[in-house]
């Protein structure tokens, strides 16, 4: 058996813990973004249409 390098083990553990935490945060951010998009999509579409109408009136 080869001796386990404790420093390497610590670095590996930290790497995996960091990766896991990042993944969880990313999943939460994506979920939040999906919820926000669903909640605000109608308002966003209305705002775009309103802006387009104002622009059309202003340029005509």
């Amino acid at each position: 058996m080869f001796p386990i390098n404790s420093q390497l083990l610590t670095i590996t553990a930290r790497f995996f813990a960091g990766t896991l935490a990042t993944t969880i945060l990313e999943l939460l951010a994506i979920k939040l973004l999906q919820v926000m998009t669903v909640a605000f999509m109608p308002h966003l579409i209305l705002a775009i249409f309103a802006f387009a109408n104002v622009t059309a009136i202003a340029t005509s």
Side-chain angles (χ1 to χ4, degrees):
M1 271 186 70
F2 61 91
I4 297 167
N5 189 337
S6 61
Q7 196 176 7
L8 187 66
L9 201 65
T10 308
I11 290 166
T12 309
R14 277 189 190 160
F15 174 74
F16 278 116
T19 307
L20 189 67
T22 307
T23 307
I24 291 166
L25 282 173
E26 281 176 0
L27 287 171
L28 282 172
I30 290 165
K31 194 69 197 162
L32 187 68
L33 199 65
Q34 285 175 343
V35 171
M36 296 277 277
T37 305
V38 169
F40 290 109
M41 190 57 82
H43 303 290
L44 192 65
I45 291 166
L46 284 172
I48 290 165
F49 275 120
F51 181 73
N53 283 336
V54 168
T55 310
I57 291 164
T59 53
S60 61

